[in-house]
Amino acid sequence: MLWEYVYKVLCKKFIIANIIITLIGVLITAWSFYTIDENLAVVGFTLLFLGIVEIFIVPPITAISMIKSGKQIHNGGSYETVVTFDKNIKMVEGNVSLIVEYSQIIKIYQLKYSYILMFGKKNAIILGKEGFSGINYDEFKKYIKERCNNLRN
């Protein structure tokens, strides 16, 4: 779920920008072969190389950093996160807890394996679609959308 969040939410704009940089690098490189301009070829290859490297390096580094940060919070341990929905949203993971008001949820992403509740530009509650008890996934979607009154498209 974390990897899906990193690739499809957190780094999505970054990946799109680097795809564009890579395509520009391809165009410049192709044009440099047509005009036989070595300086232009260097620029094109540089953009092409940087775009590809950043697409494949930055998202995994981001995910690994998030995993390490979580382990630091728990002194190297790993705990299951329990999220409950009542008057507010409460997350408990080991000795760490967080309470989020429904009004703080600004965006909801429905991904293939998870449901992401964003309560800031880079703050999220990641819910596995299979992890619901007492309610099914479709009922939860309706429940959460009714309570989150500050959702943006």
Side-chain angles (χ1 to χ4, degrees):
M1 289 186 306
L2 175 69
W3 291 89
E4 184 180 40
Y5 167 66
V6 168
Y7 276 95
K8 296 192 176 173
V9 177
L10 204 55
C11 291
K12 182 179 180 178
K13 290 179 183 177
F14 176 82
I15 291 170
I16 291 170
N18 277 286
I19 289 171
I20 293 168
I21 288 170
T22 302
L23 292 174
I24 291 170
V26 168
L27 292 173
I28 290 173
T29 302
W31 183 254
S32 73
F33 286 133
Y34 177 73
T35 61
I36 311 172
D37 185 346
E38 291 176 10
N39 292 330
L40 203 55
V42 170
V43 171
F45 278 122
T46 302
L47 288 174
L48 183 64
F49 176 76
L50 290 175
I52 290 171
V53 167
E54 289 183 2
I55 288 170
F56 291 103
I57 298 295
V58 172
I61 288 173
T62 302
I64 290 167
S65 174
M66 291 173 72
I67 292 167
K68 285 182 180 179
S69 176
K71 286 187 178 191
Q72 285 178 337
I73 290 171
H74 299 297
N75 292 322
S78 181
Y79 297 93
E80 179 182 35
T81 304
V82 177
V83 183
T84 55
F85 298 87
D86 196 19
K87 289 187 215 176
N88 47 43
I89 304 167
K90 183 176 182 181
M91 292 186 348
V92 178
E93 185 177 286
N95 293 328
V96 178
S97 65
L98 174 69
I99 295 174
V100 178
E101 300 293 326
Y102 288 102
S103 62
Q104 291 177 268
I105 304 297
I106 57 172
K107 186 124 175 113
I108 298 174
Y109 292 94
Q110 183 177 341
L111 305 177
K112 186 174 182 179
Y113 301 106
S114 56
Y115 205 57
I116 312 294
L117 306 176
M118 300 296 295
F119 61 97
K121 196 171 188 178
K122 295 185 180 184
N123 299 317
I125 300 170
I126 305 170
L127 306 166
K129 288 186 176 179
E130 73 288 340
F132 295 96
S133 60
I135 188 171
N136 71 33
Y137 178 66
D138 291 327
E139 291 170 339
F140 171 74
K141 286 192 310 188
K142 183 179 176 188
Y143 172 86
I144 201 72
K145 285 182 180 178
E146 287 173 356
R147 283 159 181 73
C148 298
N149 53 7
N150 288 328
L151 290 177
R152 297 184 214 149
N153 291 331

